[in-house]
Amino acid sequence: MASSVFQPHPFHWVPADGQRHASADPHPPGASIYPDGTEVTTLCGQELAAEASDTAWLWGTCPVCDVAARRRAGMPPMAGAR
Ligand SMILES: [Zn+2]
Protein backbone atom coordinates (compact mmCIF):
# COMPACT_ATOMS: atom_id res chain seq x y z
CA MET A 1 0.00 0.00 0.00
CA ALA A 2 3.02 2.27 -0.32
CA SER A 3 3.01 2.86 -4.05
CA SER A 4 2.29 6.41 -5.15
CA VAL A 5 3.03 5.87 -8.84
CA PHE A 6 0.57 3.88 -10.93
CA GLN A 7 2.51 0.86 -12.19
CA PRO A 8 0.05 -1.85 -13.16
CA HIS A 9 2.71 -4.10 -14.64
CA PRO A 10 6.33 -3.26 -13.86
CA PHE A 11 7.45 -5.85 -16.39
CA HIS A 12 6.74 -6.92 -19.96
CA TRP A 13 6.43 -10.31 -21.60
CA VAL A 14 9.03 -11.05 -24.21
CA PRO A 15 9.45 -14.14 -26.40
CA ALA A 16 13.09 -15.21 -26.50
CA ASP A 17 15.06 -18.44 -26.81
CA GLY A 18 11.97 -20.61 -27.33
CA GLN A 19 9.92 -19.43 -24.35
CA ARG A 20 7.89 -16.41 -23.31
CA HIS A 21 9.84 -14.65 -20.60
CA ALA A 22 9.11 -11.52 -18.59
CA SER A 23 11.48 -8.58 -18.27
CA ALA A 24 11.48 -5.42 -16.18
CA ASP A 25 13.51 -3.63 -18.85
CA PRO A 26 11.64 -0.63 -20.31
CA HIS A 27 10.50 -0.77 -23.90
CA PRO A 28 12.41 1.49 -26.30
CA PRO A 29 10.83 4.96 -26.66
CA GLY A 30 7.71 4.78 -28.79
CA ALA A 31 7.67 0.97 -28.91
CA SER A 32 4.98 -1.22 -27.36
CA ILE A 33 7.10 -4.36 -27.62
CA TYR A 34 10.77 -5.22 -27.59
CA PRO A 35 11.79 -5.05 -31.25
CA ASP A 36 13.31 -8.19 -32.74
CA GLY A 37 16.82 -8.71 -31.45
CA THR A 38 16.52 -6.42 -28.40
CA GLU A 39 18.78 -7.62 -25.60
CA VAL A 40 16.65 -7.96 -22.47
CA THR A 41 17.35 -9.15 -18.95
CA THR A 42 14.59 -11.58 -18.04
CA LEU A 43 13.08 -12.10 -14.60
CA CYS A 44 14.65 -15.57 -14.58
CA GLY A 45 18.06 -13.95 -14.73
CA GLN A 46 19.07 -14.50 -18.35
CA GLU A 47 20.15 -12.02 -20.99
CA LEU A 48 18.34 -12.94 -24.19
CA ALA A 49 17.56 -11.43 -27.58
CA ALA A 50 13.84 -10.71 -28.01
CA GLU A 51 12.02 -12.32 -30.91
CA ALA A 52 9.12 -10.37 -32.40
CA SER A 53 7.73 -12.94 -34.84
CA ASP A 54 4.05 -13.91 -34.68
CA THR A 55 4.82 -17.53 -33.82
CA ALA A 56 7.12 -16.52 -30.98
CA TRP A 57 4.07 -15.43 -28.97
CA LEU A 58 2.77 -19.00 -29.11
CA TRP A 59 5.74 -20.38 -27.20
CA GLY A 60 5.26 -21.72 -23.70
CA THR A 61 5.67 -19.47 -20.69
CA CYS A 62 8.92 -19.65 -18.77
CA PRO A 63 7.84 -21.04 -15.35
CA VAL A 64 10.43 -19.02 -13.46
CA CYS A 65 9.35 -15.77 -15.11
CA ASP A 66 5.69 -16.67 -14.55
CA VAL A 67 6.21 -16.92 -10.80
CA ALA A 68 8.35 -13.77 -10.71
CA ALA A 69 5.86 -11.80 -12.79
CA ARG A 70 2.93 -12.84 -10.61
CA ARG A 71 4.86 -11.77 -7.53
CA ARG A 72 5.57 -8.37 -9.09
CA ALA A 73 1.92 -7.98 -10.04
CA GLY A 74 0.90 -8.74 -6.48
CA MET A 75 -0.86 -11.94 -7.48
CA PRO A 76 -0.48 -15.27 -5.73
CA PRO A 77 0.98 -18.16 -7.71
CA MET A 78 -1.58 -19.91 -9.86
CA ALA A 79 -3.62 -22.32 -7.76
CA GLY A 80 -2.85 -25.88 -8.62
CA ALA A 81 0.14 -24.95 -10.75
CA ARG A 82 2.35 -27.87 -11.51
ZN1 LIG B 1 12.25 -16.64 -18.03
Side-chain angles (χ1 to χ4, degrees), residues 13-65:
W13 292 102
V14 50
D17 196 31
Q19 288 186 307
R20 285 190 307 126
H21 297 272
S23 174
D25 290 0
H27 285 155
S32 59
I33 61 166
Y34 300 105
D36 202 42
T38 305
E39 284 275 325
V40 297
T41 301
T42 61
L43 297 187
C44 59
Q46 303 184 77
E47 291 189 17
L48 301 172
E51 297 202 28
S53 70
D54 287 344
T55 54
W57 289 103
L58 302 176
W59 293 344
T61 303
C62 169
V64 179
C65 282

